[in-house]
Amino acid sequence: MAYRLALRPETFLCVPQPSGRRNARSYRARMACDRVDAPKRPFTPPREVHVQVTHSMPPQKIEIFKSLENWAENNILVHLKSVEKCWQPQDFLPQPSSEGFYEEVKELRERSKEIPDDYFVCLIGDMITEEALPTYQTMLNTLDGVRDETGASLSSWAIWTRAWTAEENRHGDLLNKYLYLSGRVDMKQIEKTIQYLIGSGMDPRTENNPFLGFIYTSFQERATFISHGNTARLAKEHGDLKLAQICGTIASDEKRHETAYTKIVDKLFEIDPNGMVLAFADMMKKKISMPAHLMYDGRDDNLFEHFSAVTQRLGIYTAKDYADILEFLVTRWKVGELTDLSGKGNRAQDFLCTLAPRIRRLEERAQGKAKKAPTIPFSWIYDRQVQL
Ligand SMILES: [Fe+2]
Ligand SMILES: [Fe+2]
């Protein structure tokens, strides 16, 4: 259906898969859509993941990250905020120890009554995405050369990852408590979805490779900055200024994190432009999967697609945003200006510099053909019907 196509701006890159040999990297590039079924177990939903490729960065390149320890301390850790200066969820929520607690909760619930169900579906999906934070810390710790080797490693990379996680942890906490207090949502269904999602993990296809991993995190932090920014804008339009402030505050954290990750990629482009342009093209050919793409609530096998359809329709996160982020990063990393690339590097450069307009054209065509999307029940809001 057209609305589904619009969610997957990268679909046109898929090619049929041959069978047989599965390891060579050049071969892997042609297998962008090669997927395998993960076994169904009571603690994970039915799902597909890609053929798993591991440790694709040549071991000698690990040295790059060791040599950047001091650079990361001076250039990346500075983007963390001291805990004492950070906002905390409690700053935006009714104070349970105060006399006025019940009154404040009542006001919160009055404000949230004005907000439509489709907006709540988006906010819940965003909250669930944030709540699967253990998966994202795990993902960062899969990356060779930058992982936290001990759990309390003193390397700059490990310090960043732990403190980043600690900052991010406030996002899910705050949205979760807000949604709980609103009284509008089925918390048990939401909690089940979070449990399923953490159990499922994610399939970002970053191959333990920090070149790929930091492109992924740069893209994702910008994507979350955009989507929380849009939920803030819409909350304001629906008259809930407190919720707008909550979403806007989270968006500004995401922006700061985006700055840090894009700076790491800047540096890697400086050190190894050919390796980075290949890595960037590789990630875009494989498509940037959303962190919560394996979402499941115990009922809807296509929950993530349905949630994404609503975010697309409301303009919270769209195929156009995907193309805009790509274009932003191509400009930010000056991909078009790179010189002295290998033949493959030149092809990757061309691919990246022409991809955003191609995605946009596809999106416009899909929008032109789009039929009225169906309405389906979402368990998160007691099976109330929402249009996709
Ligand atoms: Fe976040
Ligand atoms: Fe983030």
Side-chain angles (χ1 to χ4, degrees), residues 156-199:
S156 305
W157 302 110
I159 291 168
W160 165 266
T161 296
R162 290 194 302 271
W164 170 86
T165 305
E167 286 194 1
E168 285 281 342
N169 189 52
R170 300 168 304 143
H171 302 172
D173 272 3
L174 175 52
L175 293 173
N176 193 320
K177 283 177 181 144
Y178 171 87
L179 285 164
Y180 169 81
L181 291 172
S182 77
R184 290 278 306 273
V185 304
D186 186 338
M187 283 309 294
K188 182 155 180 178
Q189 275 304 116
I190 292 171
E191 287 157 350
K192 269 174 63 178
T193 312
I194 295 168
Q195 187 174 355
Y196 270 125
L197 183 58
I198 296 174

Side-chain angles (χ1 to χ4, degrees), residues 132-144 147-148 161 164-165 198 201-202 204 206 208:
L133 183 60
T135 297
Y136 317 137
Q137 187 175 22
T138 300
M139 179 262 172
L140 285 167
N141 282 328
T142 66
L143 301 177
D144 293 334
R147 73 171 56 83
D148 185 344
T161 296
W164 170 86
T165 305
I198 296 174
M202 69 191 288
T206 44
N208 312 98

Side-chain angles (χ1 to χ4, degrees), residues 130 164 168 171 220-221 224 254 257:
E130 294 284 352
W164 170 86
E168 285 281 342
H171 302 172
Q220 270 313 328
E221 293 289 7
T224 48
E254 308 292 10
H257 295 161

Side-chain angles (χ1 to χ4, degrees), residues 264-277:
I264 296 172
V265 175
D266 270 343
K267 190 69 183 167
L268 295 174
F269 262 109
E270 204 180 295
I271 295 169
D272 184 3
N274 203 64
M276 271 320 268
V277 79

